[in-house]
Amino acid sequence: MVAAIDTSDDKQISKEECAAAGHSAEKVEEIFAKIDADKDGQLTKEELAETIAKDTKDAAKTTAATAQVAALDTDGDKTKVSEEELAVAVGSPEVAEAVMKAADTDKDGALSIEEVAAACPKVEATANEAIVADAAKVVEATA
C-alpha cells in the first residue's frame, strides 16, 4: 500500500505523492485529516494500520449492534429497540428502564443501532486487539 504510492522511497506518503496517485486536492486533505495522527504531513504504515483497525472496529461494532437490535426487535422495524421490547428481552421492566435511562442518548424512548453500539460492552468486545493485528498485517504485506 505505502510502497505503491511512495515514489520518494522514504516509507511514507506525502500529500504530493497522494495527489500524484490520482486524488483531488480536497480528497488529499480529507485523507490526511483522517489518517495523519501526528499532523506532520506524512502518512506512515503505522498510521494507515491504526486507521484501518479503527474503521474495522467501528464496522464490527455496528454489525454486532445491528444484529442485537434485530434480535430484540419485535415490531419488525429492525432499527430501534423500545423500552417495552427490551423489558421482554431482559425479563424486567426495571432493568429495561435503567438501561434506557443510561443508553438512550437522544431521549426518544428507543435504542438505535448507534446507541446500542456505544453502550454495550459485549459489542465493544467484538472489536478486539485481533482486528488491530490483522490491519497491521495487511499494511505490512502491501508495503
Side-chain angles (χ1 to χ4, degrees), residues 81-138:
V81 175
S82 69
E83 188 171 330
E84 294 77 23
E85 290 170 323
L86 188 58
V88 169
V90 299
S92 167
E94 294 80 15
V95 170
E97 182 181 359
V99 169
M100 226 16 108
K101 188 174 183 177
D104 184 17
T105 57
D106 64 6
K107 305 300 181 205
D108 68 349
L111 297 179
S112 67
I113 292 167
E114 294 78 14
E115 288 168 329
V116 170
C120 186
K122 186 183 274 188
V123 171
E124 180 67 31
T126 63
N128 59 36
E129 292 304 315
I131 294 171
V132 175
D134 287 346
K137 287 178 190 174
V138 167

Side-chain angles (χ1 to χ4, degrees), residues 2-45:
V2 174
I5 300 172
D6 177 24
T7 57
S8 65
D9 202 30
D10 63 356
K11 309 268 189 261
Q12 300 180 80
I13 300 171
S14 68
K15 288 183 177 183
E16 293 77 19
E17 290 168 325
C18 191
H23 296 293
S24 69
E26 294 82 22
K27 186 65 175 176
V28 169
E29 290 305 318
E30 180 184 325
I31 290 167
F32 275 75
K34 179 178 181 178
I35 301 173
D36 188 13
D38 60 9
K39 305 299 180 205
D40 68 350
Q42 300 287 327
L43 303 180
T44 64
K45 65 181 178 180

Side-chain angles (χ1 to χ4, degrees), residues 69-86 88 109-111:
V69 168
L72 296 172
D73 176 54
T74 58
D75 67 8
D77 71 3
K78 305 285 189 235
T79 60
K80 291 198 173 232
V81 175
S82 69
E83 188 171 330
E84 294 77 23
E85 290 170 323
L86 188 58
V88 169
L111 297 179

Side-chain angles (χ1 to χ4, degrees), residues 49-65:
E50 287 172 18
T51 300
I52 291 168
K54 181 190 177 307
D55 289 350
T56 303
K57 279 184 178 182
D58 291 348
K61 284 174 62 175
T62 299
T63 299

